[in-house]
Structures are given as C-alpha cells and as structure tokens.
Amino acid sequence: MEIQNVILRGSFSPAVSSIQTRKSRLFTKLAAPFLSEIGSPKWVSMKCDCSFHSDTSPNKTILQRCRNSAQKAECKGISDVEEDKPKAKIRRKNLAVFVSGGGSNFRSIHEATLTGSVNGDIVVLVTNKHDCGGAEYARGKGIPVIVFPKRKDTEEVLSGEDLVIALRSFKVDFILLAGYLKLIPAALIQAYPKAILNIHPSLLPAFGGKGYYGMKVHKAVIASGARYSGPTIHYVDEHYDTGRILAQRVVPVLANDTAEELAARVLHEEHKLYVEVSAALCEERITWREDGVPLIQSKENPNDYR
Ligand code: GRF
C-alpha cells in the first residue's frame, strides 16, 4: 500500500460513527517535516466524535465509558449522557503503534487486526529508530512509518505538535506504545487523553520508572526474590510507567530463571494481553470507575468488569 494512498484514504473518507452524539469539523494542515514523505501540502478535514456515557456497575459505582476517538481533545467541555438505546455498530478504530525495537507486540496486534479479532487497523507506525525490526516489518506490510524524534544529525525537526498533526491526518483514535523507549511529548498526551496505552514487562507499580527497561526489569525482579512477575498495560501520562493500570497478567518467577528466560515467559503473555486489551479498546469496552481506575468489560459477560 502506497503511503500516498493511505494518506488520501485516511484524510477524506467520510468515516462517520453511528454512535456519535456530537461532531465538530476540524481543519488542520499536515506537518511540514512530514511532507517530504507524502508530497505536497494538503488541508485535510477531520471529524471529531465526542460521546460520554454514564453507567452503573453492579456495585452501584458510577462508571463512565469513553467511546470517542482521540480527537475528543478538540471537543473539551462537550459531554452527553446517553440514554438506553439499541447498540449501534461500533466504528472500526485507527491505531498508531510506537516501537523502538523488534516489535513483536506490534506484530501480534497487527495480525489480530488482520484476522478480525481486533476491530481496528494499524494506520501508522512511529519509531525513534528508523531501521529497527518493527519499522522494517511495517514497511514490508505497507504501513506508513514516522520517525520521531528525528535523528540528531538530520536538519529536520519534528516537534510534539507536528507529531500530533501527523497522527490526526491519519485519523488516529488510539496510540499503543509497544517497546517505545522515548518519553512521550506532553503535546501528544494532551491531544490524546485516555487514548494512549503502554505495555511494561513487570507488575507495576513494582520495577517501573526511568531506567527500568528491557533486561534490567527482569534482572531486578529476579534479584528481588519476587515469585511472580508479568506484563502491565497502563495509560500513559507525562512520566515513565505511572499512568493508570488497565490490565495485568501474572507469570511465575522460577528458582533458576535467567533474565532471558523470565523475559520470554513474560513476552509470551504480553502478546496475548495486548491483543485482548486492543480488542476491548476498539470495541469500546473500557469503562472508568469514578475513582479514575479504568476497567475492562468482559465480552462474554457484560456484567463482569476487570
Ligand atoms: C516488551 O517487553 C515490552 O513490555 C517493553 O518493551 C518490550 C518490547 O518488545 N515495553 P517487542 O519490541 O514488542 O518485541
């Protein structure tokens, strides 16, 4: 798939959600540094869908469901309480994945979008390492690649705001960080509230934060004597690994584990967990408890929240 085709399709198709309650039309210009990849400047029109849902869980805690796309940041202050009405078909979501390395999580999510178990499409890959395994895989699959931040030896500078504009040109609803080692710019976090997830290879809040990445995490887990580890998927805020926890999976730490063995066991669970969470995200099954904790509604049993 040509990048140009993706841009044109992404920019002008009238993707209107049947569940939307408010719309606002936004006009934005593609980021200048981005144009070198996609041709001449174009003004693109994007719809902004905002919808808030008030719900009551079995234990009477008030839950709020976010069904809107990431562009809801543009609609601040608009909120609606949905009345009981038949469920409309859920719009397929546009995903951006951020990687710095091999991208095995990216691949498993991409495969799940192709098989239909995730109701979304990966429309763009963002990486700080233009030649990493994840970027090579994306190019091979025709997924556009944005390098962010640009390498220091290039003259081009892509700011956080430029990245937001570029992602909006792809109508990105959700951002999935999968082994992306750079801190996310504040502009992106502000532009995509409750729409950026990260996967971390330990049971947060343990073994997280600056410096805890790759094998360092697993070495620290083994050295601590912890008997359990596992991946955590959490929302992203301005700091490393401190956003609200959305999902976790537990694996045992065995007596003779090396860091590599533990990492492989955790990664195996990561692939399954990130696909499950991506499916929930794209099916609008994420609900917010009134104390701010996000929960996933079970597909099989809609009264079950985890
Ligand atoms: C994973 O272990 C993830 O938890 C961490 O970075 C690693 C990425 O692996 N954030 P991969 O690139 O998806 O194979």
Side-chain angles (χ1 to χ4, degrees):
M1 203 179 334
E2 293 292 315
I3 288 178
Q4 186 82 15
N5 290 343
V6 174
I7 299 287
L8 290 172
R9 199 189 61 201
S11 300
F12 296 109
S13 67
V16 181
S17 164
S18 54
I19 62 162
Q20 71 196 36
T21 53
R22 299 248 178 151
K23 300 173 207 162
S24 72
R25 192 167 284 276
L26 307 173
F27 293 92
T28 187
K29 197 177 184 182
L30 298 180
F34 192 60
L35 296 178
S36 56
E37 286 195 45
I38 61 167
S40 58
K42 288 181 184 68
W43 286 87
V44 295
S45 160
M46 300 189 296
K47 287 205 170 66
C48 176
D49 305 343
C50 284
S51 155
F52 293 85
H53 178 79
S54 189
D55 198 356
T56 308
S57 75
N59 63 6
K60 305 296 180 202
T61 301
I62 294 174
L63 304 174
Q64 184 188 55
R65 182 172 313 181
C66 287
R67 296 179 161 166
N68 51 309
S69 73
Q71 291 95 23
K72 76 179 181 186
E74 297 292 330
C75 303
K76 271 197 179 130
I78 300 173
S79 75
D80 296 279
V81 175
E82 278 190 10
E83 290 154 21
D84 277 349
K85 54 188 172 189
K87 285 233 159 138
K89 191 172 184 308
I90 292 173
R91 179 177 62 82
R92 211 169 158 81
K93 303 299 187 295
N94 291 331
L95 307 172
V97 181
F98 284 41
V99 305
S100 296
S104 65
N105 279 287
F106 162 46
R107 289 169 204 226
S108 63
I109 296 167
H110 180 245
E111 279 160 19
T113 64
L114 298 182
T115 61
S117 48
V118 169
N119 180 38
D121 298 296
I122 298 177
V123 294
V124 62
L125 181 95
V126 176
T127 183
N128 60 314
K129 296 208 167 140
H130 73 105
D131 56 354
C132 70
E136 297 295 344
Y137 174 84
R139 289 187 192 101
K141 297 291 178 187
I143 298 169
V145 174
I146 297 176
V147 178
F148 182 88
K150 294 274 186 195
R151 289 209 316 261
K152 288 198 176 107
D153 57 352
T154 60
E155 284 182 11
E156 282 178 334
V157 177
L158 197 59
S159 70
E161 287 79 9
D162 292 334
L163 182 60
V164 169
I165 291 168
L167 295 180
R168 287 198 170 143
S169 76
F170 286 98
K171 295 188 168 183
V172 167
D173 294 295
F174 298 112
I175 296 169
L176 307 176
L177 310 186
Y180 184 71
L181 296 177
K182 295 284 180 185
L183 200 60
I184 298 300
L188 198 57
I189 291 165
Q190 281 153 22
Y192 284 89
K194 292 183 175 173
I196 310 178
L197 293 177
N198 180 44
I199 189 159
H200 182 79
S202 75
L203 294 172
L204 292 175
F207 309 107
K210 195 166 166 56
Y212 279 110
Y213 61 88
M215 285 303 148
K216 292 184 183 190
V217 176
H218 304 294
K219 282 180 183 163
V221 169
I222 291 169
S224 75
R227 300 304 202 266
Y228 295 97
S229 188
T232 299
I233 293 178
H234 63 95
Y235 280 89
V236 172
D237 60 17
E238 290 83 358
H239 310 286
Y240 283 108
D241 304 328
T242 57
R244 290 285 191 176
I245 291 171
L246 176 61
Q248 292 184 312
R249 199 55 54 85
V250 176
V251 304
V253 182
L254 304 181
N256 297 318
D257 263 347
T258 62
E260 288 74 18
E261 286 165 342
L262 178 57
R265 197 174 306 123
V266 172
L267 191 62
H268 184 69
E269 290 305 315
E270 288 186 31
H271 295 159
K272 292 189 278 182
L273 187 65
Y274 223 167
V275 166
E276 284 172 28
V277 168
S278 300
L281 196 60
C282 292
E283 290 167 16
E284 301 171 358
R285 286 188 285 109
I286 299 193
T287 298
W288 293 78
R289 211 167 62 190
E290 65 180 353
D291 63 357
V293 171
L295 302 170
I296 295 176
Q297 184 183 34
S298 160
K299 193 169 185 172
E300 292 70 34
N301 179 5
N303 291 326
D304 186 13
Y305 296 84
R306 303 208 169 182

